[in-house]
Amino acid sequence: MDLFKEILEGNKVAVAKGITLLESSLETDNILAQNLISNCLPHSGNSIRIGITGVPGVGKSTFIETFGKLLTSNGHKVAVLAIDPTSEKTQGSILGDKSRMHQLSVDENAFIRPSPSSGTLGGIASKTKDSIVLCETAGFDIILIETVGVGQSETTVSNICDFFLLLMLAGAGDELQGIKRGIMELADILVITKADGDNMQKSAIAKQEYQRALHLFPVMENGWTPKVAFCSSLENTGITEIWDTIKNYNSQMTSSNWKSENRKRQNIYWLHHTIKEELGNKKYNALLSERKLEILENQLTKGKTIYRILEKL
Ligand code: GDP
């Protein structure tokens, strides 16, 4: 059967095959991948895209396991996609690794895909953006995009998410040390992990400190006030509250139209990014000065894919 139809029927093997096509560097695969994306695009979009970031060891995979199980037990279909621009150096993906999410990886309503192991951050993120389209076409309504906090990646990843969740450790001393302000400003929620056992008190103090720090930040453009929470993924505490916050955010941003406007803005960001990456700055600047970019943006808003637009340039 045709790959698109299989994806549309929710076949996870077909989704995995589709993502492999997207990641392939073979010209023949590229053509198939572009056709696939064009077919899937009208069936995509019906999801909450949640970015999850934090330093290695903060508890990302343990959190995703517990959080993902909560979601599937509530009837959701969860896709976990990873973006790890460092994986090339570490010889293979360290994120989205199935062996780290034992229960979720055998859950029939979950799909886990590790990070592509090569490419630039922008290139990987752009492919992940297309992978999201395939997952949504297959009926996955919650997309978790896992990334390591390495400075640059958060900004890029926030351009493919609706909601951004930053995991933090409660440390001794200055709680804000090591966390760049820019990253915190992107977060819709800061979650202090491992709030259990001896760590409980430290977590409560860290929560207060982060709350105070966030007060000093400018109000977000969409009117959302970033939240601070703590949880224990091992003891399964605080996880439901985090989900409630995300649901609340999603309904507010859907009714204010921010969610769809933001997705449009993100698509335009990727259009510009891809033109620069694929065709170079010279071509980009020429399009800019000839005022052609607006025409292309228009085509994008009408549902044309970035690939199809680039074909004609
Ligand atoms: P990642 O590198 O961010 O994906 O972090 P992991 O999920 O692999 O967790 C790193 C370590 O922290 C592991 O040893 C986990 O067992 C531990 N860990 C993760 N979540 C919790 C938690 O909620 N409580 C405690 N006490 N330990 C945790």
Side-chain angles (χ1 to χ4, degrees):
M1 214 208 299
D2 151 334
L3 195 57
F4 164 63
K5 286 203 182 121
E6 285 180 305
I7 293 176
L8 197 57
E9 285 174 2
N11 181 333
K12 289 200 283 184
V13 177
V15 177
K17 274 191 200 159
I19 295 179
T20 303
L21 273 185
L22 293 175
E23 290 172 357
S24 165
S25 49
L26 292 176
E27 187 60 36
T28 45
D29 285 349
N30 282 347
I31 295 166
L32 293 173
Q34 288 160 22
N35 287 336
L36 187 60
I37 289 292
S38 295
N39 285 334
C40 288
L41 213 56
H43 301 273
S44 69
N46 190 18
S47 75
I48 309 180
R49 303 167 183 169
I50 305 168
I52 299 175
T53 194
V55 293
V58 71
K60 288 181 295 301
S61 51
T62 317
F63 174 80
I64 291 173
E65 168 100 322
T66 309
F67 184 55
K69 287 300 290 179
L70 168 77
L71 298 175
T72 57
S73 69
N74 283 350
H76 292 287
K77 284 184 75 182
V78 179
V80 182
L81 304 173
I83 297 184
D84 179 11
T86 61
S87 64
E88 210 172 357
K89 282 183 222 144
T90 51
Q91 295 291 308
S93 305
I94 56 164
L95 288 168
D97 186 344
K98 287 183 191 172
S99 64
R100 298 183 309 144
M101 299 172 195
H102 302 282
Q103 291 185 45
L104 203 57
S105 62
V106 293
D107 189 322
E108 67 168 309
N109 288 316
F111 172 79
I112 301 176
R113 178 82 179 189
S115 176
S117 56
S118 66
T120 60
L121 169 61
I124 296 176
S126 156
K127 279 176 188 160
T128 305
K129 185 180 158 296
D130 291 341
S131 305
I132 293 175
V133 169
L134 301 194
C135 292
E136 290 172 349
T137 303
F140 290 91
D141 61 338
I142 311 282
I143 316 287
L144 306 180
I145 302 132
E146 181 190 9
T147 185
V148 173
V150 286
Q152 258 288 286
S153 60
E154 296 81 4
T155 328
T156 311
V157 174
S158 73
N159 271 316
I160 52 176
C161 311
D162 303 314
F163 185 91
F164 206 62
L165 189 155
L166 175 61
L167 297 179
M168 309 255 232
L169 288 168
D174 185 357
E175 299 301 335
L176 299 179
Q177 225 163 44
I179 305 289
K180 291 196 192 85
R181 189 188 155 109
I183 302 171
M184 279 179 67
E185 277 182 0
L186 287 174
D188 297 301
I189 189 169
L190 297 180
V191 176
I192 297 147
T193 56
K194 312 188 193 182
D196 46 45
D198 292 347
N199 228 2
M200 222 26 234
Q201 209 185 344
K202 262 202 280 181
S203 306
I205 297 170
K207 184 177 171 189
Q208 283 181 349
E209 292 192 9
Y210 285 129
Q211 242 149 4
R212 240 177 280 137
L214 284 182
H215 274 306
L216 305 173
F217 286 11
V219 178
M220 285 185 151
E221 220 184 311
N222 57 13
W224 175 255
T225 313
K227 308 286 183 283
V228 184
F230 54 64
C231 74
S232 167
S233 310
L234 286 187
E235 294 186 353
N236 201 346
T237 50
I239 308 283
T240 310
E241 289 76 3
I242 294 167
W243 176 226
D244 287 342
T245 303
I246 299 175
K247 278 192 290 191
N248 189 2
Y249 175 94
N250 189 55
S251 54
Q252 276 187 39
M253 297 307 146
T254 305
S255 56
S256 71
N257 233 10
W258 170 269
K259 185 173 171 180
S260 62
E261 289 300 320
N262 191 42
R263 284 186 176 182
K264 274 186 209 154
R265 265 195 296 277
Q266 291 175 335
N267 281 338
I268 289 173
Y269 166 90
W270 287 106
L271 173 69
H272 288 227
H273 174 93
T274 315
I275 295 174
K276 284 185 209 159
E277 278 282 286
E278 306 271 324
L279 309 175
N281 278 331
K282 209 169 159 193
K283 178 76 181 172
Y284 178 81
N285 289 331
L287 290 167
L288 191 68
S289 63
E290 290 160 19
R291 295 187 157 271
K292 288 212 177 116
L293 284 175
E294 286 124 81
I295 301 169
L296 304 181
E297 287 173 7
N298 233 337
Q299 294 175 347
L300 190 72
T301 327
K302 287 190 181 131
K304 208 164 176 183
T305 67
I306 292 180
Y307 297 121
R308 293 274 178 264
I309 294 173
L310 257 75
E311 261 171 15
K312 301 272 183 289
L313 292 178

